[in-house]
Structure formats: structure tokens, C-alpha cells
Amino acid sequence: MAKITAAEVNKLRKATGAGMMDCKNALVEAEGDFDKAVEILRKKGQKVAAKRADRESAEGAVIAKVNGDTTKGVIVSLNCETDFVAKNETFVKMATEFAEMALNFDTKEALLDADYNGIKVSEKLIEQTGVIGEKIEIGDFRTLEAPFVGSYIHAGNKIATLVGLSANVEGADVAAKDVAMQAAAMNPVALDESGVDQEVIDKEIEIAKETLRAEGKPEAMLENIAKGKLNRFFKDNTLVNQDFIKDNKQSVTAYVKSVNSELTVTAFERVALG
């Protein structure tokens, strides 16, 4: 039997993140061959991944990143099964590294196929499933491009948002962060009225009419009153029409125009866990 040193075990642990005993056992099985030991640990990950494939991975860390030119942003959620793992420093670090990598790609599939320290991201996820003992996967993958992109990550890495502005002007960084915080806190259904699905609009009108009928309002009045209630729905649930949370005397649109009269919000993305 090959003699396994503490240094060899530590090297394997650093390379894979696996526990000390798992690393030692893998090296013993591999008769001291480092590459073979890595492969043994990956196969263990595959077995664990197969067993846990049907488990729900609703916890995790959501990370938003913006490129150096502030013209593109990404949100990546690294999902796991428990909040205990989601709060682990190593897990959050890995999620952050994946998000930084994601700035170079436009799809989740491309990210999963990308190289991460010598192996594909998809292979790293399987490896870490074996190490942690939980289902680990990339959940959401969103990108946003605009003349100026800002981001916000809510404390605890459970919510992340991106906001696109129409121009990179003085104050755009503060405005984009403020609006990104608004999107995180208020969870709008769309950017503006035009982004709301017709199905949602029809449902809101029908709910309003049913409520008005129950209140005894005449049938002939229902359509106009319902449309008024729909406008209220747009105000409460579309980002640019919402009251600005830092000053509810003005809308988000008015706040952005106070920074620069020509500035508008062009898009947003929001990802939340739990």
C-alpha cells in the first residue's frame, strides 16, 4: 500500500474541496496517484448527483456582476438544498466566480461548458455535489445589456437585480443602484405597461369587475371603473411607474429624470430565492 502523506491529502483537498478523510481514502484507493484520486472523487460526485437528481434545490446564492465598461450585467444563481450550505463562505465564493465567468457568455449552457480550473463548470458542480452531499446546480442565468448597467445584491445573497439605463451620464451609477434596490424590494411584474402580459391584464380587469359587482355597482359603469383600477395596478406593479421608495412623492421615472432629464430606465432583471 502506498504511503499517503498529509501534504498529499491537503493538496487534494485544496484542489477539490473534499473533506480530509474523503481525500485520504481516494488517495489510498488510487495508490497515491493524484489524478486518479481526483477522478475517484468526481465519480463519487456523479453517484451522489444521480441519487439526488430529484431533490429540490431551492436555496443558494444569487450573484449579480457588471463588466468593467458597465454595459453588460449578469445574474447567476448557484442553487443547493439547504440554507446551511448556501451561507457557506466557499459556496458563495464559487457562486461569485461563476458569475464573473458568466460575463463572457450569453447562455447558461455556454457557462456550463466553460473551463473552471481545468474542468468544465458542469463537472465542477457534480464534483461539489459529491463533496457537499447536496444537489448543486446553476439555477437562473440572466443577462442585460444597456448604455449603463447597474446591479444590487440584497444582504444574504437571496435577491439580485440588474438595471439598464439609456445613457452613461453623471450620476448614472447612483441612479442605477437606487432603481436596482427598488426592483429588489418592490418586485415589479414588468418595466412598464407594455411589458405586462395580456393574460395578467385580462385577469386584473375581471377581478376588478367581480369586486365592483359585489359592491352593487351598475353593469354599465364596470368597464370604466375597472380600467381605472387597472391603471392603479400598473402604478403599483410596473417599475418605472412605482412610487420611488426613497421619496414616495415621485415615481421612479421622475427620480431618474431628476438625475438627467434625458435619462430613462430601459430594462431590469430580478432573481430571488426562497
Side-chain angles (χ1 to χ4, degrees), residues 62-64 73-77 140-142 160-162 269-271:
V62 188
I63 307 294
V74 298
I75 301 176
V76 171
S77 71
D140 262 288
F141 179 101
R142 311 278 184 91
T161 52
L162 296 170
E269 292 288 350
R270 182 183 188 274
V271 174

Side-chain angles (χ1 to χ4, degrees), residues 25-149:
N25 290 339
L27 282 164
V28 169
E29 186 179 338
E31 297 180 340
D33 186 313
F34 181 84
D35 291 337
K36 190 175 178 182
V38 169
E39 189 61 30
I40 288 168
L41 288 173
R42 284 182 189 154
K43 285 180 179 176
K44 179 189 174 187
Q46 289 170 352
K47 289 177 182 176
V48 175
K51 287 179 181 177
R52 306 190 77 82
D54 60 346
R55 298 294 289 261
E56 185 179 5
S57 55
E59 295 292 342
V62 188
I63 307 294
K65 286 287 178 181
V66 176
N67 67 1
D69 295 332
T70 62
T71 56
K72 180 180 180 180
V74 298
I75 301 176
V76 171
S77 71
L78 183 61
N79 293 18
C80 58
E81 295 177 33
T82 66
D83 192 48
F84 177 77
V85 168
K87 290 178 178 177
N88 181 275
E89 186 178 329
T90 302
F91 182 86
V92 175
K93 179 174 179 286
M94 184 166 61
T96 302
E97 289 172 348
F98 287 160
E100 287 169 349
M101 289 175 62
L103 284 166
N104 299 310
F105 305 103
D106 294 321
T107 66
K108 179 164 73 172
E109 290 71 27
L111 174 62
L112 289 169
D113 201 45
D115 178 79
Y116 178 86
N117 298 331
I119 62 173
K120 291 181 179 182
V121 169
S122 58
E123 293 170 339
K124 184 66 178 179
L125 294 173
I126 291 171
E127 175 193 280
Q128 290 303 298
T129 294
V131 169
I132 296 169
E134 287 191 10
K135 182 179 181 180
I136 308 294
E137 63 181 352
I138 301 289
D140 262 288
F141 179 101
R142 311 278 184 91
T143 65
L144 190 155
E145 294 187 53
F148 188 92
V149 178

Side-chain angles (χ1 to χ4, degrees), residues 144-199:
L144 190 155
E145 294 187 53
F148 188 92
V149 178
S151 66
Y152 173 71
I153 304 174
H154 192 62
N157 303 309
K158 297 299 184 188
I159 305 173
T161 52
L162 296 170
V163 163
L165 299 180
S166 59
N168 186 352
V169 295
E170 185 178 352
D173 55 340
V174 175
K177 184 170 183 180
D178 281 342
V179 179
M181 289 175 68
Q182 171 97 18
M186 301 304 292
N187 191 19
V189 300
L191 178 67
D192 55 24
E193 298 94 325
S194 67
V196 180
D197 289 342
Q198 188 60 46
E199 187 178 331

